[in-house]
Amino acid sequence: MEEGQRALPAGSSGEVVDIARRYNERIVRTRHHQPLFRSAVIYAYQRRCAVCRLPFAELLDAAHVKADADGGAANVTNGLALCKIHHGPFDVNILGISPDYVVHVRQSVLETFDGPTLQHAIKEMNGEHLRQLPAARGERPDRDLLAERFETFQAAS
Ligand SMILES: [Zn+2]
């Protein structure tokens, strides 16, 4: 950083330092909020996967509907408790969730035949309503955020 700053034209280093400072603050803020977000989301879903109801907290993640990197807030309504089997496909748009809380599996994946995990854990979720949602309506996934995310899923399909 110091080496790089010395090479910068006069007058611009202050700005660079400011950007670096803000970036570091953001990382600290994100890291600080991450465990809180995770526990709040997993608690709201009663320690079950929203898609399949798998009841092992050790295998659950708090997935963001709108990614943290895209400015998604660390609110329960921007989260979904997803097991390891469903978090990955959700992140890469193999699995999408529409604003009416229905699971959709990418068409090309539905047309693929390969073993029990794909068949039972992924493909059979297609068209199913989310099996686990927070009891409190105010903690359920924000439908606007889901709609925005679902467009990405559809564009990737
Ligand atoms: Zn699951």
Side-chain angles (χ1 to χ4, degrees):
M1 192 67 203
E2 283 183 13
E3 213 36 54
Q5 278 169 26
R6 250 176 256 135
L8 288 167
S12 62
S13 67
E15 192 186 343
V16 171
V17 170
D18 192 45
I19 289 169
R21 184 177 53 77
R22 274 187 279 152
Y23 179 73
N24 287 332
E25 280 173 2
R26 185 178 149 75
I27 287 176
V28 168
R29 209 168 44 228
T30 304
R31 286 196 186 139
H32 181 71
H33 281 143
Q34 221 55 268
L36 259 178
F37 175 67
R38 182 182 188 280
S39 49
V41 169
I42 288 170
Y43 182 79
Y45 286 77
Q46 297 181 294
R47 299 180 179 81
R48 286 180 181 269
C49 172
V51 171
C52 69
R53 300 193 80 231
L54 189 79
F56 301 111
E58 314 90 288
L59 295 178
L60 297 178
D61 294 329
H64 285 84
V65 176
K66 181 170 186 162
D68 189 41
D70 297 334
N75 293 334
V76 173
T77 55
N78 185 38
L80 287 162
L82 293 177
C83 72
K84 303 286 183 191
I85 292 171
H86 292 119
H87 188 186
F90 179 71
D91 273 357
V92 298
N93 295 311
I94 280 177
L95 186 151
I97 298 169
S98 49
D100 54 354
Y101 302 153
V102 172
V103 178
H104 299 258
V105 175
R106 188 192 292 181
Q107 190 58 36
S108 62
V109 172
L110 290 174
E111 291 162 5
T112 304
F113 295 86
D114 194 313
T117 304
L118 177 64
Q119 183 61 35
H120 301 299
I122 310 280
K123 288 165 66 175
E124 286 179 13
M125 299 301 145
N126 187 52
E128 295 289 320
H129 198 269
L130 288 181
R131 287 177 158 87
Q132 186 75 33
L133 282 169
R137 286 189 175 275
E139 292 188 327
R140 293 183 186 169
D142 184 301
R143 291 178 193 270
D144 292 335
L145 292 174
L146 276 179
E148 198 180 313
R149 177 63 186 261
F150 194 60
E151 278 178 27
T152 312
F153 166 79
Q154 286 176 309
S157 293

